Structure formats: C-alpha cells, structure tokens
C-alpha cells in the first residue's frame, strides 16, 4: 500500500487537489470549479467530493491525512478561516473538523501562501535550506515563512501576512484598514490601478503592462515606470525581511514573475540600499524565483500531515 497524503488548494473560483506520496511524487491531480454562488454547503460538498475521489482511487488505508490550503487568516487551534475576502461563505466555519468528520481522516487547515512556502521547501527552490521566506505575487500578495523546516504561524496562526507590511507610509489605502501595504503597491491589482492612473488603458491586466514595457515608445516608458514602483516596494519589503530574519533564501512566485526583468533591478538596488545585513551577507543570501508555480500549494498542503501529525 502506497503511503500518500492529499493536498487541496482552494481559490476564489476553483479548487485543485493532488495525491502525493512521501517521496514527493504526484500520483494524481484533479481540478474543478467552486460553486460559491450556491452557498456554503455546496462549497463543502465540492471540497469533500474532490478529496473523496482521490482517497477512493488510491485507498483509504495508505492515506496519511489531508492538508487544506485556503486563503485568509487561519486560526489554527479552532481550524477556522477569518478575514478571507474571496471565501466569505467559509468564514468562521469549522472547516477542518467538518471535512475530517465527513471523510473520517486527519485534516490540517493552512493558509495557502504558507502551504506554498512549505511546498517550495519540500520539493522546490528551497530544498537545500531549512529557512526561507516566500512572497506570492498575484491579485494580492501573500507570504509564508519557513524556519527549521516548519511553517511559522505565530500565536494563533496569523503570522506571515507579508502583503500587509507597510512599505509606503501614508500610501494607498488597503482593505485591511492600513495605508501603504505592500500589496497596494506591488500586486497585479496595484499594477492595473497604476496603468489606469497613467492613462495606459482602463482594462489592462498586469500581463498587458508587461507587454507594454517591452516597447520603445511613450506607453513603454510609462509601463517601465510602473515596474520601477513595484520593484522598489518589493525591495523595501525584502530588505525588512532580510534585516529581521537573516535567512539564506527569499523566494518570489506568482503571475507577476514574467515581468522579473523589469522590476528585479529596482528591487535589488533597493534591497542593497536598505539592508546592511544583505550587503554584509550577499554571498550567503539568495533572492530568487520560486520553481513550483501554482503546484507549490498542493505540495505544501500534502506535506503537512507528515510533519504535523
């Protein structure tokens, strides 16, 4: 009987789940839509059915457990989600215990970015280190901190909300109630907002802004200025993280990475300017792109039952 676990990555519009064995080999993967418009019970059924399909195919006897990677603030002791704008139907629902009851197996609930950081440590760019920080650059910005091979969660499970670090005092207002959060200055949403302000287009995506930046015309100059702002904001955040942790590895992942060539020089210039620790340890400190893409969360969620049980 194969010893395996199941990881689930739940997003605002879809879910993905994978059966992964102890060596990190992905045995099976499925994906589907989440019916949030149909209410809480429909979402719980979607999750349960996806997990049960993998369990039934690969056998309940060898299943070590299930890891659920879900966006939002996680209260680990209670096994509930709070502060998740994308998943309002699941807020304050005892989702960990409910899924465990329905499937009769060990379940761990984890923030999706924390799961992605753990996945990169297990099977991705962080395999050679035990300490790393991951920033996920997407619609918002998530973060995960791994120390000694384990996720840093804080006293209740809400550590690692790196997208809400202040990088611009009195900067753009954020839905969290703060001003100048990293995700309001360096996320895909921030990029599209800046593009509108600079009259590059009303409906541009961050990918469109990246394509504009490749052109040698006036829109290209404006687009490259946007990526400068992104790079400097990320640089401030990374400098703070490096000064705080002195870890060997800081990873960036997500849909913004194609624009790396435009924001990375500004990011690294700012890191060097603002972090003495980085200047003193540049040979021992790496800032790099993550390697697992959107599968990092699946690997990390699946890894949880083995290290937390």
């Amino acid at each position: 009987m194969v010893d395996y676990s199941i990881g689930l990555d739940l997003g605002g519009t879809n879910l993905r789940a994978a059966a992964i064995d102890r060596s990190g080999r992905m045995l099976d993967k499925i994906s589907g839509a989440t019916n949030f418009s149909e209410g809480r019970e429909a979402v719980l059924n979607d999750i349960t059915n996806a997990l049960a399909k993998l369990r039934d195919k690969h056998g309940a006897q060898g299943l070590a457990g299930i890891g659920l990677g879900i966006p939002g603030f996680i209260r680990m002791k209670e096994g509930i989600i709070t502060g998740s704008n994308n998943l309002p139907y699941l807020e304050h629902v005892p989702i960990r215990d409910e899924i465990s009851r329905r499937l009769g197996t060990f379940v761990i609930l984890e923030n999706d970015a924390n799961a992605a950081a753990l996945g990169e440590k297990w099977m991705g760019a962080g395999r050679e280190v035990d300490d790393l920080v991951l920033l996920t650059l997407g619609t918002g910005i998530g973060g995960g901190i791994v120390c000694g091979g384990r996720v840093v969660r804080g006293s209740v499970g809400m550590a690692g909300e790196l997208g809400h670090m202040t990088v611009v005092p009195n900067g753009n207002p954020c839905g969290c109630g703060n001003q100048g959060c990293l995700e309001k200055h360096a996320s895909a949403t921030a990029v599209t907002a800046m593009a509108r302000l600079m009259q590059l287009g009303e409906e541009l995506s961050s990918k469109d802004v990246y394509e504009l930046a490749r052109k040698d015309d006036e829109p290209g100059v404006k687009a490259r200025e946007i990526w400068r702002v992104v790079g400097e904001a990320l640089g401030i955040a990374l400098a703070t993280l490096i000064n705080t942790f002195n870890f060997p590895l800081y990873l960036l992942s997500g849909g913004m990475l194609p624009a790396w060539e435009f924001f990375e020089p500004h990011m690294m210039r700012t890191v060097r300017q603002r972090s003495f620790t980085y200047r003193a340890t540049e040979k021992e400190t790496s800032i790099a792109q993550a390697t697992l893409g959107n599968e990092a969360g699946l690997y990390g969620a699946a890894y949880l039952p083995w290290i937390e049980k």
Side-chain angles (χ1 to χ4, degrees):
M1 179 66 65
V2 176
D3 186 16
Y4 75 101
S5 66
I6 297 175
L8 180 131
D9 184 15
L10 184 67
T13 58
N14 56 60
L15 65 82
R16 299 178 304 125
I20 300 176
D21 72 16
R22 201 170 189 120
S23 71
R25 181 168 60 100
M26 189 174 289
L27 307 173
D28 206 351
K29 182 171 69 172
I30 59 176
S31 61
T34 46
N35 300 312
F36 287 104
S37 62
E38 297 180 20
R40 176 181 302 167
E41 189 61 27
V43 176
L44 289 171
N45 285 336
D46 289 339
I47 294 171
T48 304
N49 292 339
L51 297 171
K53 184 176 180 179
L54 289 171
R55 180 201 59 187
D56 294 345
K57 181 176 180 180
H58 296 277
Q61 187 175 346
L63 180 60
I66 294 169
L68 306 176
I70 298 180
F73 296 97
I74 307 296
R75 297 190 71 93
M76 294 298 297
K77 184 177 179 180
E78 297 91 339
I80 62 173
I81 310 162
T82 63
S84 180
N85 293 330
N86 292 328
L87 306 171
Y89 286 111
L90 295 183
E91 288 216 10
H92 304 291
V93 176
I95 183 171
R96 178 195 63 200
D97 295 343
E98 180 62 19
I99 298 300
S100 179
R101 182 189 68 79
R102 293 187 183 199
L103 295 175
T105 192
F106 176 64
V107 175
I108 296 177
L109 182 64
E110 183 60 273
N111 171 269
D112 59 342
N114 284 348
L118 189 61
E120 289 289 343
K121 188 271 166 288
W122 183 33
M123 294 301 298
R127 280 182 287 185
E128 303 301 318
V129 302
D130 287 327
D131 308 312
L132 65 85
V133 174
L134 173 71
L135 288 171
T136 61
L137 311 180
T139 303
I141 293 182
I145 304 164
V146 174
C147 182
R150 299 175 73 90
V151 172
V152 174
R153 298 193 177 103
S155 61
V156 298
M158 296 184 183
E161 290 294 332
L162 306 182
H164 295 290
M165 296 171 61
T166 300
V167 296
V168 181
N170 301 315
N172 296 332
C174 181
C176 76
N178 186 27
Q179 288 179 265
C181 287
L182 177 61
E183 72 172 39
K184 301 311 292 185
H185 295 269
S187 66
T189 305
V191 168
T192 58
M194 284 186 276
R196 286 194 299 272
L197 286 171
M198 298 179 77
Q199 299 182 328
L200 289 174
E202 290 295 318
E203 304 295 334
L204 295 182
S205 66
S206 60
K207 182 180 178 181
D208 294 330
V209 179
Y210 160 64
E211 294 293 343
L212 284 175
R214 301 173 65 186
K215 298 180 179 180
D216 292 322
D217 54 15
E218 184 178 353
V221 171
K222 289 183 177 180
R224 288 191 291 276
E225 181 68 6
I226 291 172
W227 293 114
R228 179 191 64 78
V229 171
V230 169
E232 290 180 354
L234 289 170
I236 292 169
L238 286 166
T240 301
L241 292 166
I242 292 167
N243 289 341
T244 303
F245 293 111
N246 185 210
F247 282 173
L249 183 61
Y250 302 82
L251 296 172
L252 287 81
S253 69
M256 305 268 282
L257 289 190
W260 181 267
E261 64 184 290
F262 294 115
F263 68 75
E264 187 269 350
H266 304 291
M267 178 179 75
M268 295 308 303
R269 170 179 53 78
T270 305
V271 168
R272 290 187 181 96
Q273 173 192 346
R274 293 178 178 268
S275 175
F276 172 81
T277 303
Y278 181 76
R279 296 195 302 273
T281 64
E282 192 163 347
K283 291 183 179 179
E284 297 89 7
T285 306
S286 178
I287 299 172
Q289 298 184 42
T291 58
L292 293 179
N294 63 8
E295 293 190 340
L298 290 175
Y299 279 102
Y303 193 44
L304 284 166
W306 285 309
I307 63 171
E308 298 288 342
K309 210 165 189 180

